[in-house]
Amino acid sequence: MAPETRVRRIALVQLQMDEEPKLNVERAESAIRDAAQRGAEIVCLPELFRTRYFPQEERADRFDLAEPIPGPTTERLSKLSSSLGLVLVAPIFERRGAGVYHNSAVVLDADGSIAGLYRKMHIPDDPLFSEKFYFAPGDLGFRSFDTRAGRVGLLICWDQWFPEAARLVALDGAEVLFFPTAIGWVPDEGNEERAAGRDSWITIQRAHAIANGVFVAAVNRVGREQNLEFYGSSFVADPQGRILEEAPPDREAVLIVDCPLSRIEEQRRSWPFLRDRRVDAYGDLLVRYRR
Amino acid sequence: MAPETRVRRIALVQLQMDEEPKLNVERAESAIRDAAQRGAEIVCLPELFRTRYFPQEERADRFDLAEPIPGPTTERLSKLSSSLGLVLVAPIFERRGAGVYHNSAVVLDADGSIAGLYRKMHIPDDPLFSEKFYFAPGDLGFRSFDTRAGRVGLLICWDQWFPEAARLVALDGAEVLFFPTAIGWVPDEGNEERAAGRDSWITIQRAHAIANGVFVAAVNRVGREQNLEFYGSSFVADPQGRILEEAPPDREAVLIVDCPLSRIEEQRRSWPFLRDRRVDAYGDLLVRYRR
């Protein structure tokens, strides 16, 4: 069988978030319409795009920001998806039940239906990133989802530091692996540290593209919120890890990127890593530490 | 417990190989002596350093180049190790038995004893890299080894494209993860492809350093042999993936690099990935593909 010849046009919406959720949803919708006009088939929003990055503090009243899935935001966006005929990756602060919250994202298909739900599996807890307070770890595993615009892989932010996550989503058939993200610089980081941190963030995701022969799309927010300075730099890497496009670190952007799907099989034919994985010898990946 | 404060000085020996094995061993020994004089505690040689990269062709007479372990080369190098009091990572084309050959490496401790044996687990087979003809896949798993110069992680060349391998060796306690390598450009690659290929090779190994919070040392050969142009560029990355030193692409070098071991725990405290791995949800890493 000859490789896929289609080119998939995707859009990365890099936004600065307002204190008011209603405004963020409206501005996301406006960016999605812009992306649609420019021919995007899949549009991805940043992590928790409806709100400021509230996990900087542990405040029980912030749980009021959560919504069910389906719920007001997914319903509103699913109407937009179907009217524009595009696939949408929409992060949601999910209220699953009383006291059960997740850092989630839905894949809305081009007909407005929910093609997939992902609940963030790796939950950070660092100063200014108190996510373990808010979010129960995901229990839906690492998956890709069929849509009218191909098979969409989906992980969220902290997941991007775990090669296991990218591998599992790629093994599930992803063509493009999306990472809605909220990453920024913390106070007192010098310029060298800032540059190194951002570079590590880009490097490890480019490596996921290389190791798995998939496109990787990282979608970050931008701007200062309290103590964090989100550094944008949303980008797409091709299946050899080459950066196709990159957004600025300090302002909003709708990045439109063409992904020639033939590059996936072409890359995997010349660097056939999936052929050579030693699945017989990886058992200890299922333990915490080997000492 | 306070983090380790020692600084580990390592040496990467980037060599051009001669047709004559005896000469290669002599030149390796000379480079090891040079490294010892400059204070190196661990010295790593390139993959299959005793010979030209014979897997460019499939020739049964090439098996004559293999040696047992222990054997002439390990015995000779172990004398050197003990006389200089340093740890040596020495790749060997291993004859394990009649018709059973491996692409191996030994870790020789500072007293000359064999501290560890690794047999390459991922075996490539691409045009000009016909390793599946020569080498049975390793059956000793992914390990680190205790030495007088700390715990040494060891993988070989093609392994470097597999995040699973780096993870398993890091989980086994490696401080520095060594990758003896023989990678080069093939004919008809343009300048852009050459640069991209080399960059992918560096990027994925920097990502292993980042994902695992370990030092990574890649040790390549250099120079043209038949159809391959080995591109050197041996380097060390710190536990955040920052390149500490890099050798040139086109000539021999003995790279001496200081690795402050405190960086390992410091990095893992600020980016605690090992804490958050979802070992309950990685089961499908043990399958070939999920579709």
Side-chain angles (χ1 to χ4, degrees):
Chain A
M1 193 177 114
E4 174 70 72
T5 57
R6 271 173 296 190
V7 173
R8 187 81 65 211
R9 182 167 291 185
I10 66 175
L12 288 66
V13 175
Q14 176 171 301
L15 290 176
Q16 177 156 1
M17 274 61 180
D18 193 87
E19 190 60 42
E20 174 53 48
K22 190 166 164 291
L23 268 181
N24 293 324
V25 176
E26 284 169 10
R27 295 175 59 239
E29 286 181 333
S30 155
I32 294 164
R33 286 181 203 282
D34 171 28
Q37 281 198 324
R38 294 158 72 190
E41 298 165 85
I42 312 175
V43 180
C44 182
L45 302 173
E47 183 184 16
L48 299 169
F49 80 97
R50 208 175 68 91
T51 62
R52 288 271 171 92
Y53 185 71
F54 57 85
Q56 290 193 54
E57 303 169 293
E58 300 192 357
R59 286 177 47 180
D61 64 319
R62 295 303 199 186
F63 288 110
D64 291 345
L65 295 168
E67 298 179 276
I69 295 174
T73 300
T74 60
E75 276 163 23
R76 186 164 165 172
L77 291 175
S78 93
K79 278 182 197 134
L80 189 63
S81 266
S82 67
S83 77
L84 298 173
L86 51 70
V87 172
L88 186 57
V89 178
I92 304 284
F93 177 18
E94 180 189 5
R95 182 185 184 280
R96 185 176 176 186
V100 184
Y101 301 89
H102 293 285
N103 186 334
S104 301
V106 293
V107 180
L108 297 169
D109 210 343
D111 64 358
S113 64
I114 293 180
L117 167 62
Y118 172 68
R119 293 180 175 133
K120 188 173 180 175
M121 292 286 283
H122 300 98
I123 309 293
D125 196 326
D126 306 306
L128 302 177
F129 294 87
S130 292
E131 295 198 18
K132 288 195 198 294
F133 174 75
Y134 290 101
F135 310 123
D139 56 356
L140 297 175
F142 300 95
R143 304 243 62 114
S144 297
F145 305 103
D146 278 323
T147 72
R148 284 210 208 150
R151 198 153 171 94
V152 169
L154 177 54
L155 292 166
I156 300 177
C157 202
W158 191 241
D159 291 324
Q160 59 214 169
W161 302 100
F162 299 82
E164 293 92 341
R167 177 71 92 200
L168 286 164
V169 170
L171 293 181
D172 203 33
E175 292 167 345
V176 185
L177 171 46
F178 290 91
F179 282 104
T181 299
I183 193 166
W185 292 304
V186 299
D188 304 324
E189 277 189 298
N191 284 340
E192 196 277 334
E193 274 175 293
R194 285 174 163 228
R198 197 188 77 111
D199 187 48
S200 297
W201 177 75
I202 293 170
T203 298
I204 199 160
Q205 291 179 91
R206 290 179 56 210
H208 299 327
I210 296 165
N212 296 293
V214 290
F215 291 91
V216 166
V219 187
N220 194 14
R221 67 174 65 197
V222 74
R224 174 171 283 281
E225 300 178 20
Q226 295 170 265
N227 285 306
L228 286 173
E229 190 176 334
F230 295 97
Y231 56 63
S233 310
S234 302
F235 70 93
V236 176
D238 81 358
Q240 198 188 330
R242 290 181 288 206
I243 290 183
L244 298 181
E245 299 279 354
E246 183 177 332
D250 52 4
R251 58 182 193 279
E252 297 191 328
V254 177
L255 215 60
I256 306 286
V257 185
D258 283 338
C259 301
L261 297 180
S262 61
R263 287 287 295 117
I264 295 172
E265 187 144 1
E266 185 184 300
Q267 190 60 39
R268 292 182 185 176
R269 286 183 184 190
S270 59
W271 289 356
F273 307 140
L274 298 186
R275 177 192 70 190
D276 289 342
R277 295 179 64 240
R278 288 295 302 270
V279 292
D280 61 308
Y282 292 162
D284 276 358
L285 291 172
L286 310 187
V287 303
R288 176 72 53 211
Y289 202 57
R290 303 173 79 192
R291 306 304 307 275
Chain B
M1 194 178 112
E4 173 70 72
T5 57
R6 269 173 297 189
V7 173
R8 187 80 65 211
R9 181 166 290 184
I10 65 175
L12 288 66
V13 175
Q14 175 171 300
L15 291 175
Q16 175 155 4
M17 275 61 181
D18 194 88
E19 192 59 44
E20 175 53 49
K22 189 166 165 292
L23 268 181
N24 294 324
V25 175
E26 284 168 9
R27 295 176 59 242
E29 286 180 333
S30 155
I32 294 163
R33 287 180 201 283
D34 172 27
Q37 282 198 322
R38 294 158 72 189
E41 298 165 85
I42 311 174
V43 180
C44 182
L45 301 172
E47 183 183 17
L48 299 170
F49 80 96
R50 207 175 68 92
T51 61
R52 288 271 171 93
Y53 186 72
F54 56 85
Q56 290 193 54
E57 304 169 292
E58 300 192 357
R59 285 179 47 182
D61 64 320
R62 293 303 197 185
F63 289 109
D64 292 345
L65 296 169
E67 298 179 277
I69 296 176
T73 300
T74 61
E75 276 163 24
R76 185 164 166 173
L77 291 176
S78 94
K79 278 182 199 135
L80 189 62
S81 267
S82 67
S83 77
L84 298 173
L86 51 69
V87 172
L88 187 57
V89 178
I92 304 282
F93 177 19
E94 180 189 4
R95 183 185 183 280
R96 185 177 178 185
V100 184
Y101 302 89
H102 294 285
N103 186 334
S104 301
V106 292
V107 180
L108 297 170
D109 211 343
D111 64 358
S113 63
I114 292 181
L117 168 62
Y118 173 69
R119 293 180 175 134
K120 187 173 181 175
M121 292 286 284
H122 300 98
I123 309 293
D125 196 324
D126 306 306
L128 302 178
F129 294 88
S130 292
E131 295 197 19
K132 288 193 197 295
F133 174 75
Y134 290 101
F135 310 123
D139 56 356
L140 297 176
F142 301 96
R143 305 243 62 115
S144 297
F145 305 103
D146 278 322
T147 72
R148 284 210 208 152
R151 199 152 169 93
V152 169
L154 177 53
L155 292 166
I156 300 175
C157 201
W158 191 240
D159 292 324
Q160 59 213 169
W161 301 101
F162 299 82
E164 293 92 342
R167 177 70 94 200
L168 286 164
V169 171
L171 292 181
D172 203 33
E175 293 167 343
V176 184
L177 172 45
F178 289 92
F179 282 103
T181 300
I183 193 167
W185 291 305
V186 299
D188 303 325
E189 277 188 298
N191 284 341
E192 196 276 335
E193 273 175 295
R194 285 174 164 229
R198 197 189 76 113
D199 186 48
S200 297
W201 177 76
I202 292 171
T203 298
I204 200 160
Q205 291 179 92
R206 289 180 57 210
H208 299 326
I210 297 166
N212 296 292
V214 290
F215 291 90
V216 166
V219 187
N220 194 14
R221 66 173 66 197
V222 74
R224 172 169 286 280
E225 301 179 19
Q226 296 170 267
N227 286 306
L228 287 173
E229 191 177 334
F230 295 95
Y231 56 63
S233 310
S234 302
F235 70 93
V236 176
D238 82 359
Q240 197 188 330
R242 290 180 289 205
I243 290 183
L244 298 180
E245 299 278 354
E246 183 177 331
D250 52 3
R251 58 182 193 278
E252 296 191 329
V254 177
L255 215 59
I256 306 286
V257 185
D258 282 339
C259 301
L261 297 180
S262 61
R263 288 287 297 116
I264 295 173
E265 187 144 1
E266 185 184 300
Q267 189 61 38
R268 291 182 186 178
R269 287 183 183 191
S270 59
W271 289 355
F273 308 139
L274 297 187
R275 178 193 69 191
D276 289 341
R277 296 178 64 240
R278 289 294 302 270
V279 292
D280 61 308
Y282 292 162
D284 276 359
L285 291 172
L286 311 187
V287 304
R288 175 72 52 211
Y289 202 58
R290 302 173 80 193
R291 306 304 308 277

PDB file of all heavy atoms in Angstrom, chain B residues 97-125:
ATOM      1  N   GLY B  97      29.590 -17.962  21.141  1.00  0.00           N
ATOM      2  CA  GLY B  97      29.650 -19.382  20.830  1.00  0.00           C
ATOM      3  C   GLY B  97      29.605 -19.533  19.329  1.00  0.00           C
ATOM      4  O   GLY B  97      29.511 -18.528  18.611  1.00  0.00           O
ATOM      5  N   ALA B  98      29.668 -20.782  18.843  1.00  0.00           N
ATOM      6  CA  ALA B  98      29.661 -21.002  17.400  1.00  0.00           C
ATOM      7  C   ALA B  98      28.377 -20.444  16.799  1.00  0.00           C
ATOM      8  O   ALA B  98      27.281 -20.910  17.128  1.00  0.00           O
ATOM      9  CB  ALA B  98      29.783 -22.493  17.103  1.00  0.00           C
ATOM     10  N   GLY B  99      28.515 -19.415  15.966  1.00  0.00           N
ATOM     11  CA  GLY B  99      27.342 -18.829  15.323  1.00  0.00           C
ATOM     12  C   GLY B  99      26.518 -17.911  16.209  1.00  0.00           C
ATOM     13  O   GLY B  99      25.430 -17.487  15.808  1.00  0.00           O
ATOM     14  N   VAL B 100      27.015 -17.623  17.391  1.00  0.00           N
ATOM     15  CA  VAL B 100      26.280 -16.707  18.285  1.00  0.00           C
ATOM     16  C   VAL B 100      27.168 -15.502  18.592  1.00  0.00           C
ATOM     17  O   VAL B 100      28.119 -15.590  19.377  1.00  0.00           O
ATOM     18  CB  VAL B 100      25.849 -17.400  19.600  1.00  0.00           C
ATOM     19  CG1 VAL B 100      25.014 -16.442  20.451  1.00  0.00           C
ATOM     20  CG2 VAL B 100      25.072 -18.679  19.298  1.00  0.00           C
ATOM     21  N   TYR B 101      26.835 -14.400  17.939  1.00  0.00           N
ATOM     22  CA  TYR B 101      27.636 -13.183  18.034  1.00  0.00           C
ATOM     23  C   TYR B 101      26.785 -12.035  18.556  1.00  0.00           C
ATOM     24  O   TYR B 101      25.580 -11.982  18.312  1.00  0.00           O
ATOM     25  CB  TYR B 101      28.180 -12.808  16.645  1.00  0.00           C
ATOM     26  CG  TYR B 101      29.019 -13.892  16.032  1.00  0.00           C
ATOM     27  CD1 TYR B 101      28.439 -14.891  15.246  1.00  0.00           C
ATOM     28  CD2 TYR B 101      30.386 -13.934  16.256  1.00  0.00           C
ATOM     29  CE1 TYR B 101      29.215 -15.906  14.699  1.00  0.00           C
ATOM     30  CE2 TYR B 101      31.171 -14.948  15.709  1.00  0.00           C
ATOM     31  CZ  TYR B 101      30.584 -15.928  14.929  1.00  0.00           C
ATOM     32  OH  TYR B 101      31.339 -16.920  14.397  1.00  0.00           O
ATOM     33  N   HIS B 102      27.421 -11.126  19.270  1.00  0.00           N
ATOM     34  CA  HIS B 102      26.721  -9.949  19.778  1.00  0.00           C
ATOM     35  C   HIS B 102      27.539  -8.689  19.554  1.00  0.00           C
ATOM     36  O   HIS B 102      28.766  -8.728  19.473  1.00  0.00           O
ATOM     37  CB  HIS B 102      26.456 -10.080  21.286  1.00  0.00           C
ATOM     38  CG  HIS B 102      25.502 -11.168  21.664  1.00  0.00           C
ATOM     39  ND1 HIS B 102      24.145 -11.068  21.475  1.00  0.00           N
ATOM     40  CD2 HIS B 102      25.715 -12.388  22.231  1.00  0.00           C
ATOM     41  CE1 HIS B 102      23.559 -12.178  21.920  1.00  0.00           C
ATOM     42  NE2 HIS B 102      24.480 -13.000  22.370  1.00  0.00           N
ATOM     43  N   ASN B 103      26.805  -7.577  19.484  1.00  0.00           N
ATOM     44  CA  ASN B 103      27.416  -6.255  19.500  1.00  0.00           C
ATOM     45  C   ASN B 103      27.404  -5.824  20.969  1.00  0.00           C
ATOM     46  O   ASN B 103      26.387  -5.387  21.494  1.00  0.00           O
ATOM     47  CB  ASN B 103      26.578  -5.314  18.625  1.00  0.00           C
ATOM     48  CG  ASN B 103      27.200  -3.941  18.448  1.00  0.00           C
ATOM     49  OD1 ASN B 103      27.959  -3.493  19.303  1.00  0.00           O
ATOM     50  ND2 ASN B 103      26.865  -3.283  17.350  1.00  0.00           N
ATOM     51  N   SER B 104      28.526  -5.994  21.638  1.00  0.00           N
ATOM     52  CA  SER B 104      28.570  -5.903  23.098  1.00  0.00           C
ATOM     53  C   SER B 104      29.476  -4.772  23.571  1.00  0.00           C
ATOM     54  O   SER B 104      30.185  -4.142  22.790  1.00  0.00           O
ATOM     55  CB  SER B 104      29.067  -7.233  23.686  1.00  0.00           C
ATOM     56  OG  SER B 104      28.213  -8.287  23.291  1.00  0.00           O
ATOM     57  N   ALA B 105      29.422  -4.544  24.859  1.00  0.00           N
ATOM     58  CA  ALA B 105      30.383  -3.640  25.500  1.00  0.00           C
ATOM     59  C   ALA B 105      30.583  -4.107  26.935  1.00  0.00           C
ATOM     60  O   ALA B 105      29.642  -4.559  27.580  1.00  0.00           O
ATOM     61  CB  ALA B 105      29.901  -2.204  25.463  1.00  0.00           C
ATOM     62  N   VAL B 106      31.827  -4.016  27.393  1.00  0.00           N
ATOM     63  CA  VAL B 106      32.101  -4.326  28.795  1.00  0.00           C
ATOM     64  C   VAL B 106      32.430  -3.042  29.537  1.00  0.00           C
ATOM     65  O   VAL B 106      32.953  -2.082  28.970  1.00  0.00           O
ATOM     66  CB  VAL B 106      33.293  -5.303  28.969  1.00  0.00           C
ATOM     67  CG1 VAL B 106      32.927  -6.680  28.426  1.00  0.00           C
ATOM     68  CG2 VAL B 106      34.544  -4.761  28.319  1.00  0.00           C
ATOM     69  N   VAL B 107      32.090  -3.059  30.828  1.00  0.00           N
ATOM     70  CA  VAL B 107      32.547  -2.007  31.731  1.00  0.00           C
ATOM     71  C   VAL B 107      33.674  -2.610  32.550  1.00  0.00           C
ATOM     72  O   VAL B 107      33.465  -3.565  33.315  1.00  0.00           O
ATOM     73  CB  VAL B 107      31.415  -1.536  32.660  1.00  0.00           C
ATOM     74  CG1 VAL B 107      31.932  -0.440  33.601  1.00  0.00           C
ATOM     75  CG2 VAL B 107      30.222  -1.031  31.855  1.00  0.00           C
ATOM     76  N   LEU B 108      34.878  -2.089  32.356  1.00  0.00           N
ATOM     77  CA  LEU B 108      36.035  -2.568  33.111  1.00  0.00           C
ATOM     78  C   LEU B 108      36.234  -1.643  34.296  1.00  0.00           C
ATOM     79  O   LEU B 108      36.339  -0.414  34.132  1.00  0.00           O
ATOM     80  CB  LEU B 108      37.280  -2.568  32.223  1.00  0.00           C
ATOM     81  CG  LEU B 108      37.181  -3.518  31.023  1.00  0.00           C
ATOM     82  CD1 LEU B 108      38.348  -3.275  30.059  1.00  0.00           C
ATOM     83  CD2 LEU B 108      37.157  -4.974  31.494  1.00  0.00           C
ATOM     84  N   ASP B 109      36.249  -2.214  35.482  1.00  0.00           N
ATOM     85  CA  ASP B 109      36.386  -1.389  36.681  1.00  0.00           C
ATOM     86  C   ASP B 109      37.842  -0.933  36.840  1.00  0.00           C
ATOM     87  O   ASP B 109      38.741  -1.406  36.140  1.00  0.00           O
ATOM     88  CB  ASP B 109      35.903  -2.171  37.911  1.00  0.00           C
ATOM     89  CG  ASP B 109      35.319  -1.238  38.972  1.00  0.00           C
ATOM     90  OD1 ASP B 109      35.568  -0.018  38.911  1.00  0.00           O
ATOM     91  OD2 ASP B 109      34.607  -1.741  39.863  1.00  0.00           O
ATOM     92  N   ALA B 110      38.053  -0.039  37.791  1.00  0.00           N
ATOM     93  CA  ALA B 110      39.382   0.558  37.972  1.00  0.00           C
ATOM     94  C   ALA B 110      40.410  -0.446  38.479  1.00  0.00           C
ATOM     95  O   ALA B 110      41.612  -0.157  38.480  1.00  0.00           O
ATOM     96  CB  ALA B 110      39.285   1.751  38.925  1.00  0.00           C
ATOM     97  N   ASP B 111      39.961  -1.635  38.894  1.00  0.00           N
ATOM     98  CA  ASP B 111      40.915  -2.686  39.267  1.00  0.00           C
ATOM     99  C   ASP B 111      41.097  -3.700  38.135  1.00  0.00           C
ATOM    100  O   ASP B 111      41.728  -4.736  38.315  1.00  0.00           O
ATOM    101  CB  ASP B 111      40.460  -3.399  40.548  1.00  0.00           C
ATOM    102  CG  ASP B 111      39.138  -4.142  40.356  1.00  0.00           C
ATOM    103  OD1 ASP B 111      38.563  -4.071  39.231  1.00  0.00           O
ATOM    104  OD2 ASP B 111      38.682  -4.783  41.309  1.00  0.00           O
ATOM    105  N   GLY B 112      40.510  -3.409  36.978  1.00  0.00           N
ATOM    106  CA  GLY B 112      40.665  -4.286  35.831  1.00  0.00           C
ATOM    107  C   GLY B 112      39.619  -5.385  35.729  1.00  0.00           C
ATOM    108  O   GLY B 112      39.554  -6.097  34.722  1.00  0.00           O
ATOM    109  N   SER B 113      38.787  -5.543  36.748  1.00  0.00           N
ATOM    110  CA  SER B 113      37.749  -6.587  36.683  1.00  0.00           C
ATOM    111  C   SER B 113      36.595  -6.143  35.781  1.00  0.00           C
ATOM    112  O   SER B 113      36.417  -4.949  35.517  1.00  0.00           O
ATOM    113  CB  SER B 113      37.218  -6.883  38.092  1.00  0.00           C
ATOM    114  OG  SER B 113      36.594  -5.723  38.611  1.00  0.00           O
ATOM    115  N   ILE B 114      35.834  -7.133  35.321  1.00  0.00           N
ATOM    116  CA  ILE B 114      34.666  -6.817  34.487  1.00  0.00           C
ATOM    117  C   ILE B 114      33.497  -6.491  35.412  1.00  0.00           C
ATOM    118  O   ILE B 114      32.953  -7.362  36.093  1.00  0.00           O
ATOM    119  CB  ILE B 114      34.331  -7.990  33.543  1.00  0.00           C
ATOM    120  CG1 ILE B 114      35.457  -8.139  32.505  1.00  0.00           C
ATOM    121  CG2 ILE B 114      32.998  -7.744  32.834  1.00  0.00           C
ATOM    122  CD1 ILE B 114      35.238  -9.251  31.491  1.00  0.00           C
ATOM    123  N   ALA B 115      33.111  -5.208  35.421  1.00  0.00           N
ATOM    124  CA  ALA B 115      32.017  -4.764  36.299  1.00  0.00           C
ATOM    125  C   ALA B 115      30.668  -4.982  35.642  1.00  0.00           C
ATOM    126  O   ALA B 115      29.644  -5.029  36.322  1.00  0.00           O
ATOM    127  CB  ALA B 115      32.186  -3.288  36.642  1.00  0.00           C
ATOM    128  N   GLY B 116      30.663  -5.108  34.315  1.00  0.00           N
ATOM    129  CA  GLY B 116      29.389  -5.280  33.629  1.00  0.00           C
ATOM    130  C   GLY B 116      29.576  -5.656  32.181  1.00  0.00           C
ATOM    131  O   GLY B 116      30.578  -5.318  31.552  1.00  0.00           O
ATOM    132  N   LEU B 117      28.616  -6.404  31.676  1.00  0.00           N
ATOM    133  CA  LEU B 117      28.585  -6.769  30.254  1.00  0.00           C
ATOM    134  C   LEU B 117      27.216  -6.395  29.723  1.00  0.00           C
ATOM    135  O   LEU B 117      26.189  -6.717  30.330  1.00  0.00           O
ATOM    136  CB  LEU B 117      28.811  -8.279  30.101  1.00  0.00           C
ATOM    137  CG  LEU B 117      28.526  -8.880  28.717  1.00  0.00           C
ATOM    138  CD1 LEU B 117      29.436  -8.282  27.647  1.00  0.00           C
ATOM    139  CD2 LEU B 117      28.692 -10.409  28.748  1.00  0.00           C
ATOM    140  N   TYR B 118      27.201  -5.685  28.605  1.00  0.00           N
ATOM    141  CA  TYR B 118      25.945  -5.332  27.951  1.00  0.00           C
ATOM    142  C   TYR B 118      25.985  -5.845  26.519  1.00  0.00           C
ATOM    143  O   TYR B 118      26.986  -5.680  25.831  1.00  0.00           O
ATOM    144  CB  TYR B 118      25.718  -3.814  27.963  1.00  0.00           C
ATOM    145  CG  TYR B 118      24.511  -3.416  27.144  1.00  0.00           C
ATOM    146  CD1 TYR B 118      23.228  -3.751  27.563  1.00  0.00           C
ATOM    147  CD2 TYR B 118      24.650  -2.752  25.928  1.00  0.00           C
ATOM    148  CE1 TYR B 118      22.109  -3.429  26.797  1.00  0.00           C
ATOM    149  CE2 TYR B 118      23.547  -2.426  25.162  1.00  0.00           C
ATOM    150  CZ  TYR B 118      22.275  -2.764  25.604  1.00  0.00           C
ATOM    151  OH  TYR B 118      21.180  -2.464  24.839  1.00  0.00           O
ATOM    152  N   ARG B 119      24.878  -6.455  26.104  1.00  0.00           N
ATOM    153  CA  ARG B 119      24.754  -6.898  24.705  1.00  0.00           C
ATOM    154  C   ARG B 119      23.638  -6.101  24.054  1.00  0.00           C
ATOM    155  O   ARG B 119      22.488  -6.165  24.494  1.00  0.00           O
ATOM    156  CB  ARG B 119      24.418  -8.398  24.658  1.00  0.00           C
ATOM    157  CG  ARG B 119      25.548  -9.268  25.153  1.00  0.00           C
ATOM    158  CD  ARG B 119      25.196 -10.748  25.111  1.00  0.00           C
ATOM    159  NE  ARG B 119      26.354 -11.538  25.492  1.00  0.00           N
ATOM    160  CZ  ARG B 119      26.323 -12.562  26.354  1.00  0.00           C
ATOM    161  NH1 ARG B 119      25.164 -12.933  26.906  1.00  0.00           N
ATOM    162  NH2 ARG B 119      27.432 -13.215  26.643  1.00  0.00           N
ATOM    163  N   LYS B 120      23.985  -5.381  23.018  1.00  0.00           N
ATOM    164  CA  LYS B 120      23.049  -4.457  22.349  1.00  0.00           C
ATOM    165  C   LYS B 120      21.693  -5.110  22.140  1.00  0.00           C
ATOM    166  O   LYS B 120      21.600  -6.186  21.535  1.00  0.00           O
ATOM    167  CB  LYS B 120      23.672  -4.040  21.013  1.00  0.00           C
ATOM    168  CG  LYS B 120      22.933  -2.963  20.243  1.00  0.00           C
ATOM    169  CD  LYS B 120      23.805  -2.556  19.038  1.00  0.00           C
ATOM    170  CE  LYS B 120      23.197  -1.463  18.197  1.00  0.00           C
ATOM    171  NZ  LYS B 120      24.138  -1.027  17.121  1.00  0.00           N
ATOM    172  N   MET B 121      20.665  -4.438  22.603  1.00  0.00           N
ATOM    173  CA  MET B 121      19.318  -5.011  22.599  1.00  0.00           C
ATOM    174  C   MET B 121      18.553  -4.691  21.309  1.00  0.00           C
ATOM    175  O   MET B 121      17.821  -5.525  20.803  1.00  0.00           O
ATOM    176  CB  MET B 121      18.545  -4.477  23.804  1.00  0.00           C
ATOM    177  CG  MET B 121      19.073  -4.973  25.152  1.00  0.00           C
ATOM    178  SD  MET B 121      18.663  -6.721  25.486  1.00  0.00           S
ATOM    179  CE  MET B 121      16.911  -6.589  25.914  1.00  0.00           C
ATOM    180  N   HIS B 122      18.671  -3.459  20.828  1.00  0.00           N
ATOM    181  CA  HIS B 122      17.978  -3.066  19.592  1.00  0.00           C
ATOM    182  C   HIS B 122      18.972  -3.146  18.437  1.00  0.00           C
ATOM    183  O   HIS B 122      19.980  -2.437  18.442  1.00  0.00           O
ATOM    184  CB  HIS B 122      17.438  -1.644  19.699  1.00  0.00           C
ATOM    185  CG  HIS B 122      16.446  -1.442  20.810  1.00  0.00           C
ATOM    186  ND1 HIS B 122      16.804  -0.907  22.026  1.00  0.00           N
ATOM    187  CD2 HIS B 122      15.114  -1.708  20.887  1.00  0.00           C
ATOM    188  CE1 HIS B 122      15.718  -0.841  22.801  1.00  0.00           C
ATOM    189  NE2 HIS B 122      14.687  -1.328  22.150  1.00  0.00           N
ATOM    190  N   ILE B 123      18.676  -3.993  17.475  1.00  0.00           N
ATOM    191  CA  ILE B 123      19.610  -4.224  16.366  1.00  0.00           C
ATOM    192  C   ILE B 123      19.044  -3.609  15.088  1.00  0.00           C
ATOM    193  O   ILE B 123      17.951  -3.990  14.642  1.00  0.00           O
ATOM    194  CB  ILE B 123      19.840  -5.741  16.157  1.00  0.00           C
ATOM    195  CG1 ILE B 123      20.218  -6.413  17.488  1.00  0.00           C
ATOM    196  CG2 ILE B 123      20.904  -5.963  15.092  1.00  0.00           C
ATOM    197  CD1 ILE B 123      21.549  -6.013  18.064  1.00  0.00           C
ATOM    198  N   PRO B 124      19.780  -2.677  14.474  1.00  0.00           N
ATOM    199  CA  PRO B 124      19.281  -2.047  13.244  1.00  0.00           C
ATOM    200  C   PRO B 124      19.459  -2.940  12.030  1.00  0.00           C
ATOM    201  O   PRO B 124      20.247  -3.888  12.046  1.00  0.00           O
ATOM    202  CB  PRO B 124      20.155  -0.798  13.118  1.00  0.00           C
ATOM    203  CG  PRO B 124      21.449  -1.194  13.748  1.00  0.00           C
ATOM    204  CD  PRO B 124      21.089  -2.140  14.881  1.00  0.00           C
ATOM    205  N   ASP B 125      18.726  -2.625  11.004  1.00  0.00           N
ATOM    206  CA  ASP B 125      18.974  -3.222   9.695  1.00  0.00           C
ATOM    207  C   ASP B 125      18.438  -2.269   8.639  1.00  0.00           C
ATOM    208  O   ASP B 125      17.260  -2.293   8.297  1.00  0.00           O
ATOM    209  CB  ASP B 125      18.310  -4.590   9.568  1.00  0.00           C
ATOM    210  CG  ASP B 125      18.885  -5.358   8.378  1.00  0.00           C
ATOM    211  OD1 ASP B 125      19.197  -4.700   7.353  1.00  0.00           O
ATOM    212  OD2 ASP B 125      19.012  -6.569   8.444  1.00  0.00           O
TER     213      ASP B 125
END
